[in-house]
Amino acid sequence: MSSEINRNTHTPWIFVLFCVATFLSFLGTSSISYFSVILADIGMNNEDIGWVLGSALIPTVVGILLCGELLSRFSSLQIALSGQWVTLAAYASFILTIHNPLFASLSRLIIGLGFGLFFPAALIYARSLISGSNSVFLFGIYTTMIPLPNLIGPGLAEVIYNNAGMGMMLWIFTASIMIGLGMSLLLPKVGRGPSVRTKAKFLDILFNRKNILPYFSIITVGLLWGFMLSFIALYLKTVGISAVTFFSTATGAMLVSRFTIMAWMGRRSRYFVSGLGLLLMALGYIILPIGSTEIFVVLSSALIFGLGYSFAFPVLSLWATDHYPLAERGRPMAIFTAFFQGGIFAIPLIAGFISERYTLSSLFYFLAALSALMSIVLL
């Protein structure tokens, strides 16, 4: 890893390199969005699939909260790198563990820990690289690098799995994570000494009235986004639609939005932008089960859902943390991220349990109602 740099000497290549490194790392783990199909083919039922995909819930939250504490002692880049190392080792272990529900759950569990260490630290590092009136726009570009791989990852996983088999698929995506880690090792640290210090107490942050709305909102966003990442591929397979149709459209809409309309939306009221985002995500989930066998309906649903997520996440991220000094955002960012990831990893457990007793379609309506309710509160 190269030497430290002063904040005044930042150059665009650092931000761009970090974006590309993050993209490649998450391209590898984006294949997990197709695992529901693979695990079903192996012979697991929906409840077992839910346990495998949702096993990351507790270690992810633990990793995030641990990251919040470590940020007072180490630089954000050092912690982000440690998370990438853990993720690489755990994803590679799927080559040996994926056939067994228990062992596959352990691999997914450790990936959750790695992600928990990486995510808030990476957000802090990215935030330290940008400033000015376009902060929301630029921060939105970086945060896009995390879900952006879903534009091609699940579809690529589907193609490789169907043509070259599961083993080759796992090796290829392991290589992607490895390249992303290698690029991250080239990044310089920002400033000297620990990049974040912690003054605010955990409970003070948790019960700060300024944080209540963004916390409840991001849990909702996490639940809806997590359902897409875990069970939509399996749902679409049952109606004869390729998973790439939804994933690529939703992620493509999010990408285009982040590079275009978000520069304008970022200057609007945070209540309006995040509320509109949640409303659009709800609408996307209402539309999909109504006509999931029609490609136009699936495309429309994905487009609306992707736009909604694009509006909601970056605004809520800044809302929950920007009222703290930059040097003290480690713990607030960790708590915010814990709520988001808690939603993402709780929903596979919920969906696996409910779908074995009812239908996956019922989850769409439940999540849509929850998101619509939250949008009404914000708007």
Side-chain angles (χ1 to χ4, degrees):
M1 185 173 62
S2 52
S3 60
E4 295 177 352
I5 62 171
N6 183 275
R7 183 171 176 79
N8 295 325
T9 64
H10 286 173
T11 52
W13 74 264
I14 302 172
F15 182 74
V16 172
L17 182 63
F18 192 40
C19 285
V20 175
T22 300
F23 173 83
L24 289 174
S25 295
F26 281 88
L27 177 62
T29 55
S30 71
S31 61
I32 296 175
S33 297
Y34 193 70
F35 274 24
S36 59
V37 174
I38 297 173
L39 297 175
D41 287 347
I42 290 173
M44 295 187 197
N45 59 38
N46 285 358
E47 195 160 359
D48 285 340
I49 293 171
W51 277 107
V52 172
L53 299 181
S55 61
L57 172 59
I58 294 177
T60 298
V61 173
V62 169
I64 289 168
L65 297 178
L66 177 61
C67 177
E69 300 305 313
L70 292 175
L71 282 166
S72 65
R73 299 174 177 84
F74 304 97
S75 76
S76 55
L77 181 59
Q78 288 174 315
I79 300 170
L81 286 170
S82 68
Q84 285 181 289
W85 278 111
V86 172
T87 299
L88 173 61
Y91 186 90
S93 72
F94 273 128
I95 297 169
L96 301 175
T97 65
I98 196 167
H99 289 90
N100 184 285
L102 176 60
F103 294 150
S105 295
L106 289 174
S107 295
R108 186 70 183 97
L109 182 152
I110 298 171
I111 289 175
L113 178 62
F115 178 83
L117 290 171
F118 174 83
F119 191 54
L123 295 182
I124 293 291
Y125 184 75
R127 185 68 181 89
S128 71
L129 298 174
I130 56 179
S131 60
S133 60
N134 285 326
S135 292
V136 172
F137 173 63
L138 293 173
F139 191 69
I141 289 176
Y142 176 73
T143 59
T144 299
M145 296 302 111
I146 295 170
L148 178 60
N150 289 298
L151 180 67
I152 59 175
L156 184 60
E158 183 177 32
V159 170
I160 299 172
Y161 174 69
N162 289 332
N163 292 278
M166 180 175 59
M168 179 60 68
M169 185 207 78
L170 293 172
W171 277 112
I172 289 173
F173 285 106
T174 297
S176 179
I177 301 172
M178 189 178 299
I179 295 170
L181 172 59
M183 294 180 70
S184 294
L185 291 171
L186 300 175
L187 291 164
K189 288 189 290 184
V190 179
R192 299 184 179 279
S195 62
V196 178
R197 66 178 184 270
T198 300
K199 281 190 174 181
K201 295 180 179 179
F202 180 88
L203 291 179
D204 291 339
I205 299 169
L206 190 63
F207 295 106
N208 187 327
R209 294 179 61 183
K210 294 180 180 179
N211 296 332
I212 292 175
L213 278 178
Y215 284 169
F216 276 103
S217 298
I218 202 61
I219 290 172
T220 305
V221 171
L223 288 169
L224 272 71
W225 189 254
F227 187 66
M228 185 193 82
L229 297 180
S230 55
F231 273 97
I232 278 187
L234 183 59
Y235 175 78
L236 291 176
K237 183 182 181 183
T238 63
V239 296
I241 301 291
S242 173
V244 70
T245 304
F246 190 96
F247 282 103
S248 296
T249 304
T251 311
M254 179 188 62
L255 175 64
V256 172
S257 168
R258 292 279 174 88
F259 282 94
T260 54
I261 193 172
M262 273 307 294
W264 178 82
M265 292 289 282
R267 296 181 175 91
R268 307 282 78 79
S269 163
R270 60 183 56 167
Y271 294 93
F272 171 75
V273 178
S274 55
L276 178 61
L278 283 162
L279 185 61
L280 290 173
M281 293 179 78
L283 182 60
Y285 270 10
I286 291 172
I287 293 173
L288 184 58
I290 292 175
S292 56
T293 58
E294 301 294 331
I295 191 69
F296 175 76
V297 174
V298 176
L299 290 172
S300 299
S301 169
L303 176 65
I304 295 169
F305 183 83
L307 284 175
Y309 178 82
S310 176
F311 293 165
F313 182 81
V315 173
L316 291 171
S317 298
L318 297 180
W319 186 356
T321 58
D322 267 10
H323 53 278
Y324 297 96
L326 180 61
E328 298 176 16
R329 289 178 188 168
R331 187 174 286 172
M333 182 63 78
I335 294 172
F336 173 84
T337 307
F339 279 120
F340 177 55
Q341 296 300 325
I344 286 179
F345 293 115
I347 196 62
L349 300 173
I350 298 169
F353 178 82
I354 292 178
S355 63
E356 281 294 306
R357 291 154 180 81
Y358 301 99
T359 65
L360 279 175
S361 297
S362 61
L363 266 298
F364 285 103
Y365 297 122
F366 167 75
L367 292 171
L370 182 63
S371 187
L373 177 63
M374 198 65 232
S375 72
I376 292 171
V377 173
L378 291 169
L379 294 172

